[in-house]
Amino acid sequence: MARIAVIGAGTGALAAAARLAVAGHRVAVYERTETYGGAVRRFQRDGFSFDTGPGLLTLPAVWRDLFVKTGKEPLEDRVELVQVDPSSRHVFADGTEVSLPNASRAGVVAALDETLGAGAGGRWGDFLVRAREAWDRSRRPLLEEPLWPNWEVLAGREPYPAVPHKRLLRTRRAATLAEVGAWELRDPRLTALLESHALGYGLHPEAAPASAAVLPYMEHAFGTWYVLGGARELARAVYERCLARKVEFHFGAEVTGVLEKDGRAAGLELADGTAVHADFVVGTRPWGLTGHQLYGAADVGPRPEGAAHGRVVVCLALRGAREAGAAHRTVVHAPDRRAELDALGRGEPPSGPTVRVDRPDDPALRPDEEHESVVLTATVPSRTVYDWAVPGAADSFADRMAEAAERAVPGLRERTLWREVRTPVHTEAETGVEGGGVPAPALAAAEGRFLYPPNSTRMAGLFGVGGWSHPGGGLAHAGMSGALVAGLIVEGPDFRGSQ
């Protein structure tokens, strides 16, 4: 039985802790804040509750696998999952609206043809076929295996297929997601639909590789799910599973360094001077060590946290009942796509952002049936490139978000009792990530710019877990990260992932 010290209580760290504990190890988690969950937070006031992190779940099989492998109670015994239908409603800049069925290619094609015109659905359906090919090519090395030692193969090979060009009588390969939209979809609304998936993960479509096509494919193929009570309930269930497996938790325990002995991780140093001895150290970001010490000049290095985009989240307490048939999620697209992308490229909040409007039909989130809990989310520059602490900056942007959201929720401003505005400043305080950036999932190609550091490091016994390690950010990817780290510790460096 090994002693394992885990830095942080984010969902990836919790997933690793539960798996390591059930394998017979003594696991202790050290979290600098007073709660678990990392970015999966909840804001509560006056009987209202709001998810301030991810609101929907894809690939629930990742978390089902965790519960199967760590105990007799399946995931659905601990939380209730509801498949959201429609998966999303879209309000485009020209006023066109479309609702997309959940996990139904035929239904999506029919809805797009009916709303956007004949042929639109077919082009989107053909795109999904190519996106599936990219998924099949990249899924295992990007999600199910530790990062390859020869990761340059992933960095240089674009898994999204080349597309025949009828007029040129040759094929051409898109390098970015924006080129996929421009060359293959040929409709500004379909392009906006595609690019909204990238923006939702904090990716700029003109920088993200074409392999980012796997992001809308994941939602199409595996469905979009809501955890009753909010995503925080999933974090709670994983935390309770850790407790049931005798994982120790130390909250308010800030880690300031990783102890080293004979070239091997030997424990942690806490802010109060306490030394914690351990045989293995698992962490979201191993403090006190440089990227070169951890990964070496020839390996993938840590992605600069300040380079990631952040989020502004507006929690709205509304008077009046949620109308019957309202979509759970509506994406209100920017009135000027070019202006939004240019602003994000300059490191400025867009004057007209794309806004995701979440309206869960969940009694647990509201004081009674005569009120509604709504969450608005927009992708913005992180705090390292834009000062969200300037007086009025957050409220001004929240006003623009609410104005856009009124296209999805008529009378929104008149119905608002109060609001809570959260920016990358809050994300930084809650997660410890400099600038409050939010990690996107790992993606192939683009010379490795969208890969993350391996879970193993050059220091024996030290492993990275969570959104800033392979395979990147997102609830599903956090669970995969925990599984990979547990496999590397339990089975050793020859571990190659689940079969």
Side-chain angles (χ1 to χ4, degrees):
M1 178 178 70
R3 297 170 300 173
I4 301 177
V6 178
I7 305 171
T11 51
L14 293 178
R19 290 177 180 271
L20 290 166
V22 84
H25 298 296
R26 181 180 174 183
V27 184
V29 176
Y30 297 85
E31 166 59 45
R32 68 182 186 86
T33 70
E34 298 301 326
T35 189
Y36 55 85
V40 185
R41 297 280 175 137
R42 172 187 287 156
F43 178 77
Q44 295 178 298
R45 175 182 159 189
D46 301 340
F48 292 90
S49 293
F50 309 87
D51 277 331
T52 60
L56 294 175
L57 177 66
T58 56
L59 293 174
V62 172
W63 297 102
R64 291 186 178 118
D65 181 72
L66 172 72
F67 277 78
V68 167
K69 300 290 177 56
T70 59
K72 296 179 180 179
E73 290 180 301
L75 175 63
E76 277 81 354
D77 280 0
R78 307 302 303 157
V79 298
E80 186 173 350
L81 296 179
V82 178
Q83 197 166 18
V84 176
D85 200 16
S87 63
S88 58
R89 170 184 169 224
H90 292 262
V91 180
F92 296 105
D94 66 354
T96 308
E97 299 184 15
V98 63
S99 292
L100 302 180
N102 201 338
S104 170
R105 180 179 180 274
V108 168
V109 168
L112 291 173
D113 272 342
E114 180 180 352
T115 306
L116 306 188
R123 290 195 297 277
W124 184 260
D126 291 343
F127 156 73
L128 286 177
V129 171
R130 292 187 288 272
R132 177 179 179 174
E133 187 171 337
W135 169 262
D136 289 341
R137 290 174 174 176
S138 62
R139 172 183 57 84
R140 186 159 182 81
L142 272 180
L143 302 180
E144 298 175 358
E145 298 178 341
L147 190 65
W148 292 345
N150 61 332
W151 58 267
E152 292 90 348
V153 176
L154 287 173
R157 182 171 60 191
E158 172 56 71
Y160 188 81
V163 178
H165 191 284
K166 295 180 181 179
R167 292 183 180 178
L168 299 179
L169 299 178
R170 62 179 176 83
T171 61
R172 58 181 178 184
R173 187 179 297 276
T176 67
L177 195 68
E179 289 179 346
V180 171
W183 295 354
E184 300 174 27
L185 300 180
R186 303 189 306 279
D187 184 307
R189 296 163 297 185
L190 289 178
T191 298
L193 172 61
L194 172 65
E195 294 182 347
S196 67
H197 288 83
L199 288 170
Y201 284 98
L203 295 167
H204 195 297
E206 294 178 338
S211 63
V214 300
L215 301 177
Y217 174 76
M218 283 193 305
E219 293 188 16
H220 157 75
F222 306 107
T224 304
W225 301 78
Y226 173 68
V227 183
L228 278 182
R232 178 70 176 176
E233 288 300 294
L234 176 63
R236 175 195 56 77
V238 180
Y239 169 67
E240 291 178 351
R241 177 54 55 92
C242 288
L243 291 177
R245 297 298 167 262
K246 309 302 181 184
V247 175
E248 299 175 12
F249 283 86
H250 303 270
F251 294 105
E254 183 176 1
V255 176
T256 56
V258 175
L259 301 178
E260 179 184 356
K261 183 178 181 180
D262 299 328
R264 180 181 178 86
L268 305 176
E269 181 179 350
L270 304 183
D272 64 5
T274 301
V276 176
H277 298 286
D279 302 299
F280 296 92
V281 174
V282 174
T284 53
R285 293 181 300 125
W287 280 257
L289 297 169
T290 67
H292 180 75
Q293 286 175 289
L294 292 175
Y295 305 107
D299 293 331
V300 177
R303 285 177 49 139
E305 294 171 355
H309 285 105
R311 293 173 183 151
V312 169
V313 177
V314 182
C315 306
L316 295 173
L318 304 186
R319 63 172 63 88
R322 179 184 187 272
E323 67 267 24
H328 184 114
R329 170 164 292 179
T330 299
V331 179
V332 181
H333 293 267
D336 187 334
R337 166 188 168 274
R338 181 73 266 152
E340 178 181 37
L341 298 185
D342 287 348
L344 290 173
R346 294 192 302 269
E348 301 172 0
S351 58
T354 295
V355 176
R356 296 173 295 284
V357 183
D358 281 356
R359 306 177 66 187
D361 187 10
D362 188 346
L365 306 186
R366 53 189 182 245
D368 54 51
E369 294 302 315
E370 297 305 316
H371 294 85
E372 184 181 5
S373 168
V374 173
V375 177
L376 314 181
T377 309
T379 295
V380 297
S382 71
R383 195 183 66 81
T384 55
V385 293
Y386 183 82
D387 190 357
W388 287 101
V390 169
D395 279 331
S396 174
F397 189 73
D399 288 342
R400 299 200 291 274
M401 290 174 64
E403 182 179 357
E406 197 152 24
R407 299 177 65 195
V409 188
L412 179 91
R413 281 177 285 187
E414 290 75 14
R415 293 179 58 195
T416 300
L417 293 168
W418 51 262
R419 74 184 187 187
E420 168 76 7
V421 181
R422 302 175 67 81
T423 71
V425 174
H426 296 85
T427 306
E428 181 175 29
E430 292 173 352
T431 66
V433 173
E434 181 182 358
V438 178
L443 297 170
E447 300 179 342
R449 293 192 303 275
F450 295 86
L451 297 176
Y452 288 81
N455 306 107
S456 301
T457 71
R458 294 186 70 182
M459 181 180 290
L462 180 63
F463 296 86
V465 73
W468 298 103
S469 299
H470 178 74
L475 268 176
H477 293 66
M480 296 173 193
S481 176
L484 291 174
V485 168
L488 288 165
I489 292 176
V490 172
E491 299 188 27
D494 293 332
F495 173 69
R496 290 294 176 264
S498 58
Q499 299 299 320

